[in-house]
CSV table of all heavy atoms in Angstrom, one decimal:
chain,number,residue,atom,x,y,z
A,1,GLU,N,-11.3,-14.8,-15.1
A,1,GLU,CA,-11.8,-15.3,-13.8
A,1,GLU,C,-10.9,-14.8,-12.6
A,1,GLU,O,-11.5,-14.5,-11.6
A,1,GLU,CB,-11.8,-16.8,-13.8
A,1,GLU,CG,-12.5,-17.4,-12.6
A,1,GLU,CD,-12.8,-18.9,-12.7
A,1,GLU,OE1,-12.2,-19.5,-13.7
A,1,GLU,OE2,-13.5,-19.5,-11.9
A,2,LEU,N,-9.6,-14.8,-12.8
A,2,LEU,CA,-8.7,-14.3,-11.8
A,2,LEU,C,-9.0,-12.8,-11.5
A,2,LEU,O,-9.0,-12.3,-10.4
A,2,LEU,CB,-7.3,-14.5,-12.2
A,2,LEU,CG,-6.8,-16.0,-12.4
A,2,LEU,CD1,-5.4,-16.0,-12.7
A,2,LEU,CD2,-7.1,-16.8,-11.1
A,3,VAL,N,-9.2,-12.0,-12.6
A,3,VAL,CA,-9.4,-10.6,-12.4
A,3,VAL,C,-10.7,-10.3,-11.7
A,3,VAL,O,-10.8,-9.5,-10.9
A,3,VAL,CB,-9.4,-9.9,-13.8
A,3,VAL,CG1,-9.9,-8.5,-13.8
A,3,VAL,CG2,-8.0,-10.0,-14.5
A,4,THR,N,-11.7,-11.1,-12.0
A,4,THR,CA,-13.0,-10.9,-11.4
A,4,THR,C,-13.0,-11.2,-9.9
A,4,THR,O,-13.6,-10.5,-9.1
A,4,THR,CB,-14.1,-11.8,-12.1
A,4,THR,OG1,-14.2,-11.6,-13.5
A,4,THR,CG2,-15.5,-11.6,-11.4
A,5,ILE,N,-12.2,-12.2,-9.5
A,5,ILE,CA,-12.1,-12.5,-8.1
A,5,ILE,C,-11.3,-11.4,-7.4
A,5,ILE,O,-11.8,-10.9,-6.4
A,5,ILE,CB,-11.3,-13.8,-7.9
A,5,ILE,CG1,-12.2,-15.0,-8.4
A,5,ILE,CG2,-11.0,-14.1,-6.4
A,5,ILE,CD1,-11.4,-16.3,-8.5
A,6,ALA,N,-10.2,-11.0,-8.0
A,6,ALA,CA,-9.4,-9.9,-7.4
A,6,ALA,C,-10.1,-8.6,-7.3
A,6,ALA,O,-9.9,-7.8,-6.3
A,6,ALA,CB,-8.1,-9.7,-8.2
A,7,GLU,N,-11.0,-8.3,-8.2
A,7,GLU,CA,-11.8,-7.1,-8.2
A,7,GLU,C,-12.6,-6.9,-6.9
A,7,GLU,O,-12.9,-5.8,-6.5
A,7,GLU,CB,-12.7,-7.0,-9.4
A,7,GLU,CG,-13.4,-5.7,-9.6
A,7,GLU,CD,-14.2,-5.7,-10.9
A,7,GLU,OE1,-14.4,-6.8,-11.5
A,7,GLU,OE2,-14.6,-4.6,-11.3
A,8,HIS,N,-12.9,-8.0,-6.3
A,8,HIS,CA,-13.8,-8.0,-5.1
A,8,HIS,C,-12.9,-8.0,-3.8
A,8,HIS,O,-13.5,-8.0,-2.7
A,8,HIS,CB,-14.7,-9.2,-5.0
A,8,HIS,CG,-15.8,-9.1,-6.1
A,8,HIS,ND1,-15.6,-9.6,-7.4
A,8,HIS,CD2,-17.0,-8.5,-6.1
A,8,HIS,CE1,-16.6,-9.4,-8.1
A,8,HIS,NE2,-17.5,-8.7,-7.4
A,9,ALA,N,-11.6,-7.8,-3.9
A,9,ALA,CA,-10.8,-7.8,-2.7
A,9,ALA,C,-11.0,-6.5,-1.9
A,9,ALA,O,-11.2,-5.5,-2.5
A,9,ALA,CB,-9.3,-7.9,-3.1
A,10,PRO,N,-11.1,-6.6,-0.6
A,10,PRO,CA,-11.2,-5.4,0.3
A,10,PRO,C,-10.0,-4.5,0.0
A,10,PRO,O,-8.9,-4.9,-0.1
A,10,PRO,CB,-11.2,-5.9,1.7
A,10,PRO,CG,-10.6,-7.3,1.6
A,10,PRO,CD,-10.9,-7.8,0.3
A,11,SER,N,-10.3,-3.2,-0.1
A,11,SER,CA,-9.2,-2.2,-0.5
A,11,SER,C,-8.8,-1.3,0.6
A,11,SER,O,-7.8,-0.6,0.4
A,11,SER,CB,-9.7,-1.4,-1.7
A,11,SER,OG,-11.0,-0.8,-1.5
A,12,GLY,N,-9.5,-1.2,1.7
A,12,GLY,CA,-9.1,-0.4,2.8
A,12,GLY,C,-9.3,1.1,2.5
A,12,GLY,O,-9.9,1.5,1.5
A,13,ALA,N,-8.9,1.9,3.5
A,13,ALA,CA,-9.1,3.4,3.4
A,13,ALA,C,-7.8,4.1,3.6
A,13,ALA,O,-6.8,3.6,4.2
A,13,ALA,CB,-10.1,3.8,4.4
A,14,ASN,N,-7.8,5.3,3.1
A,14,ASN,CA,-6.6,6.2,3.3
A,14,ASN,C,-7.1,7.6,3.8
A,14,ASN,O,-8.2,8.0,3.5
A,14,ASN,CB,-5.9,6.4,1.9
A,14,ASN,CG,-4.7,5.5,1.7
A,14,ASN,OD1,-4.6,4.5,2.3
A,14,ASN,ND2,-3.8,5.9,0.9
A,15,SER,N,-6.2,8.3,4.4
A,15,SER,CA,-6.5,9.7,4.8
A,15,SER,C,-6.1,10.6,3.6
A,15,SER,O,-5.2,10.3,2.9
A,15,SER,CB,-5.7,10.1,6.0
A,15,SER,OG,-4.3,10.2,5.7
A,16,VAL,N,-6.9,11.7,3.5
A,16,VAL,CA,-6.6,12.6,2.4
A,16,VAL,C,-5.2,13.2,2.7
A,16,VAL,O,-4.4,13.5,1.7
A,16,VAL,CB,-7.7,13.7,2.4
A,16,VAL,CG1,-7.3,14.8,1.3
A,16,VAL,CG2,-9.0,13.1,2.1
A,17,ALA,N,-4.8,13.4,3.9
A,17,ALA,CA,-3.5,13.9,4.2
A,17,ALA,C,-2.4,13.1,3.7
A,17,ALA,O,-1.4,13.6,3.1
A,17,ALA,CB,-3.3,14.1,5.8
A,18,ASP,N,-2.5,11.7,3.9
A,18,ASP,CA,-1.5,10.8,3.3
A,18,ASP,C,-1.4,10.8,1.8
A,18,ASP,O,-0.4,10.8,1.2
A,18,ASP,CB,-1.7,9.4,3.8
A,18,ASP,CG,-1.3,9.2,5.3
A,18,ASP,OD1,-0.5,10.0,5.8
A,18,ASP,OD2,-1.7,8.2,5.9
A,19,ALA,N,-2.6,10.9,1.2
A,19,ALA,CA,-2.7,10.8,-0.3
A,19,ALA,C,-2.1,12.0,-0.9
A,19,ALA,O,-1.5,12.0,-2.0
A,19,ALA,CB,-4.1,10.6,-0.7
A,20,THR,N,-2.3,13.2,-0.3
A,20,THR,CA,-1.9,14.5,-0.9
A,20,THR,C,-0.5,15.0,-0.4
A,20,THR,O,0.1,15.9,-1.0
A,20,THR,CB,-2.9,15.6,-0.7
A,20,THR,OG1,-3.1,15.8,0.7
A,20,THR,CG2,-4.3,15.1,-1.3
A,21,GLY,N,-0.1,14.5,0.7
A,21,GLY,CA,1.1,15.0,1.3
A,21,GLY,C,0.9,16.3,2.1
A,21,GLY,O,1.8,17.0,2.5
A,22,ASN,N,-0.4,16.7,2.2
A,22,ASN,CA,-0.8,17.9,2.9
A,22,ASN,C,-1.3,17.5,4.3
A,22,ASN,O,-2.4,17.0,4.5
A,22,ASN,CB,-1.9,18.6,2.2
A,22,ASN,CG,-2.4,19.9,2.9
A,22,ASN,OD1,-1.8,20.3,3.9
A,22,ASN,ND2,-3.4,20.5,2.3
A,23,ALA,N,-0.5,17.8,5.3
A,23,ALA,CA,-0.8,17.3,6.7
A,23,ALA,C,-2.0,18.0,7.2
A,23,ALA,O,-2.6,17.5,8.2
A,23,ALA,CB,0.4,17.6,7.6
A,24,LYS,N,-2.4,19.1,6.7
A,24,LYS,CA,-3.6,19.8,7.2
A,24,LYS,C,-4.9,19.3,6.5
A,24,LYS,O,-6.0,19.7,6.9
A,24,LYS,CB,-3.5,21.3,6.9
A,24,LYS,CG,-2.3,21.9,7.6
A,24,LYS,CD,-2.2,23.4,7.4
A,24,LYS,CE,-1.1,24.1,8.1
A,24,LYS,NZ,-1.0,25.6,7.8
A,25,ALA,N,-4.8,18.5,5.5
A,25,ALA,CA,-6.0,18.0,4.8
A,25,ALA,C,-6.8,17.1,5.7
A,25,ALA,O,-6.2,16.3,6.5
A,25,ALA,CB,-5.6,17.3,3.5
A,26,LYS,N,-8.1,17.2,5.7
A,26,LYS,CA,-9.0,16.4,6.5
A,26,LYS,C,-9.7,15.3,5.8
A,26,LYS,O,-9.8,15.4,4.5
A,26,LYS,CB,-10.0,17.3,7.2
A,26,LYS,CG,-9.4,18.5,8.0
A,26,LYS,CD,-8.6,18.1,9.1
A,26,LYS,CE,-8.1,19.3,9.9
A,26,LYS,NZ,-7.2,18.8,11.1
A,27,GLY,N,-10.2,14.3,6.5
A,27,GLY,CA,-11.0,13.3,5.9
A,27,GLY,C,-10.3,12.1,5.4
A,27,GLY,O,-9.1,12.0,5.4
A,28,THR,N,-11.1,11.1,5.0
A,28,THR,CA,-10.6,9.8,4.5
A,28,THR,C,-11.3,9.5,3.2
A,28,THR,O,-12.4,10.1,2.9
A,28,THR,CB,-10.7,8.7,5.5
A,28,THR,OG1,-12.1,8.5,5.8
A,28,THR,CG2,-9.9,9.0,6.8
A,29,PHE,N,-10.8,8.5,2.5
A,29,PHE,CA,-11.5,8.0,1.3
A,29,PHE,C,-11.2,6.5,1.2
A,29,PHE,O,-10.2,6.0,1.7
A,29,PHE,CB,-11.1,8.8,0.1
A,29,PHE,CG,-9.7,8.6,-0.3
A,29,PHE,CD1,-9.2,7.6,-1.1
A,29,PHE,CD2,-8.7,9.4,0.3
A,29,PHE,CE1,-7.9,7.4,-1.4
A,29,PHE,CE2,-7.4,9.3,0.0
A,29,PHE,CZ,-7.0,8.3,-0.9
A,30,ASN,N,-12.1,5.8,0.5
A,30,ASN,CA,-11.9,4.4,0.3
A,30,ASN,C,-11.0,4.2,-1.0
A,30,ASN,O,-11.3,4.8,-2.0
A,30,ASN,CB,-13.2,3.7,0.1
A,30,ASN,CG,-14.0,3.6,1.4
A,30,ASN,OD1,-13.5,3.5,2.5
A,30,ASN,ND2,-15.4,3.7,1.3
A,31,ASN,N,-10.1,3.3,-0.8
A,31,ASN,CA,-9.3,2.9,-2.0
A,31,ASN,C,-10.1,2.1,-3.0
A,31,ASN,O,-11.2,1.5,-2.6
A,31,ASN,CB,-8.1,2.1,-1.6
A,31,ASN,CG,-7.1,2.9,-0.7
A,31,ASN,OD1,-6.6,3.9,-1.1
A,31,ASN,ND2,-6.9,2.4,0.5
A,32,LYS,N,-9.7,1.9,-4.2
A,32,LYS,CA,-10.4,1.2,-5.2
A,32,LYS,C,-9.5,0.2,-5.9
A,32,LYS,O,-8.3,0.4,-6.1
A,32,LYS,CB,-11.0,2.1,-6.3
A,32,LYS,CG,-12.1,3.0,-5.8
A,32,LYS,CD,-12.6,3.9,-6.9
A,32,LYS,CE,-13.8,4.7,-6.5
A,32,LYS,NZ,-13.5,5.7,-5.5
A,33,VAL,N,-10.0,-1.0,-6.2
A,33,VAL,CA,-9.4,-2.0,-7.0
A,33,VAL,C,-9.9,-1.7,-8.4
A,33,VAL,O,-11.1,-1.9,-8.7
A,33,VAL,CB,-9.7,-3.4,-6.6
A,33,VAL,CG1,-9.0,-4.4,-7.6
A,33,VAL,CG2,-9.2,-3.7,-5.2
A,34,VAL,N,-9.0,-1.3,-9.3
A,34,VAL,CA,-9.4,-0.9,-10.7
A,34,VAL,C,-8.9,-2.0,-11.6
A,34,VAL,O,-7.7,-2.4,-11.6
A,34,VAL,CB,-8.7,0.4,-11.1
A,34,VAL,CG1,-9.1,0.8,-12.5
A,34,VAL,CG2,-9.3,1.5,-10.1
A,35,VAL,N,-9.8,-2.5,-12.4
A,35,VAL,CA,-9.4,-3.4,-13.5
A,35,VAL,C,-9.1,-2.6,-14.7
A,35,VAL,O,-10.0,-2.0,-15.3
A,35,VAL,CB,-10.6,-4.4,-13.8
A,35,VAL,CG1,-10.2,-5.3,-15.0
A,35,VAL,CG2,-11.0,-5.2,-12.6
A,36,GLY,N,-7.8,-2.5,-15.1
A,36,GLY,CA,-7.4,-1.7,-16.2
A,36,GLY,C,-6.3,-2.3,-16.9
A,36,GLY,O,-6.1,-3.6,-17.0
C-alpha cells in the first residue's frame, strides 16, 4: 500500500544536459518513480 501511494508521487523534469553532463545537449525529460 505504501509503495502504491509513492508510485503516484509527482517526479518533476530534468534537462538532458544535467543528466548527461553535456552542456550542449538539448531538451528535457520527465523523471520516473520506479517500483523496483
Side-chain angles (χ1 to χ4, degrees):
E1 188 170 12
L2 298 181
V3 169
T4 301
I5 295 171
E7 188 177 11
H8 293 89
S11 53
N14 263 23
S15 70
V16 176
D18 284 342
T20 62
N22 178 7
K24 296 181 179 180
K26 305 296 183 182
T28 61
F29 63 92
N30 292 326
N31 296 303
K32 292 181 173 64
V33 176
V34 176
V35 179

